[in-house]
Structures are given as C-alpha cells and as structure tokens.
Amino acid sequence: MKTTTLTLLFVAISTAVIFAQGIRGDSKAGQGVYERQCLRCHGANLDGNGPDSQDLIVRPADLRSQISRSKTDWELLVAISNGVLFSPMHSFRGKLTDEQMLDVLSYIRFMSPPDITS
C-alpha cells in the first residue's frame, strides 16, 4: 500500500513537471505584465537593476544569468507564484492569474532563453 502510494505520488509530480515544461504563454502579453509588475525591481533588461533595486537589501535576480536561465519553467513559476523566502520577491498568487504568470514566464524565456548547452 505504501509503495503504491509513493509510486502514484512520484508519477503525479513527474507528470506535473513535464507538463509545466511544455506550457507556454504569450510573450507579448507577458511583456505588459512584466512592465507593470516586475520591471521596477528586475529592470527593463531583466538584469536585476530596476529603479527600486537600489533600495533592497537582497538584490533582485538577474534573469539573464546562467543560474536563472538554467532553472526549469516549473522552478520559475513557483518563484513567481509563491515568492522567494528571505528575499523581497513576493508572491503573485492572487494578484496575477495563472495565464498572466505563464505569459510573464514566456516573456522571460523569450528575452533570456534557457541555457541548453549545459
């Protein structure tokens, strides 16, 4: 019973991760959402140098960095949805729809695609 439950849980999580990797939003719509919600911290160039970033103790992520580009779509969606602990990155759950979060992710990937060479 316990093995079956763990197996089903593993399949469900794996399927969710694979499904999330295949989902893409609208990068054009995502640009508008990014400009309204993310630009002040992450900057127009996604480099973490937005106008509000200077006042933050923990600097915003450079979404063009190898570390950010190597994150899966799922990891980035979790950060957008839930925020990042011990950082000024707050949760957008309830502020943005799921579609808007996917659109922002699509815009980030368009502007700074994942590093597929590593």
Side-chain angles (χ1 to χ4, degrees), residues 93-112:
R93 187 182 320 149
K95 296 176 185 153
L96 297 177
T97 65
D98 291 346
E99 184 176 338
Q100 288 173 314
M101 287 188 264
L102 288 171
D103 292 345
V104 168
L105 173 63
S106 181
Y107 177 69
I108 291 168
R109 291 298 195 205
F110 175 76
M111 295 296 290
S112 185

Side-chain angles (χ1 to χ4, degrees), residues 66-114:
Q66 183 175 0
I67 291 171
S68 290
R69 289 189 345 262
S70 67
K71 291 187 180 195
T72 64
D73 289 356
W74 180 254
E75 290 172 307
L76 292 175
L77 282 171
V78 167
I80 294 166
S81 177
N82 299 329
V84 178
L85 196 59
F86 304 118
S87 83
M89 176 64 186
H90 56 85
S91 168
F92 282 94
R93 187 182 320 149
K95 296 176 185 153
L96 297 177
T97 65
D98 291 346
E99 184 176 338
Q100 288 173 314
M101 287 188 264
L102 288 171
D103 292 345
V104 168
L105 173 63
S106 181
Y107 177 69
I108 291 168
R109 291 298 195 205
F110 175 76
M111 295 296 290
S112 185

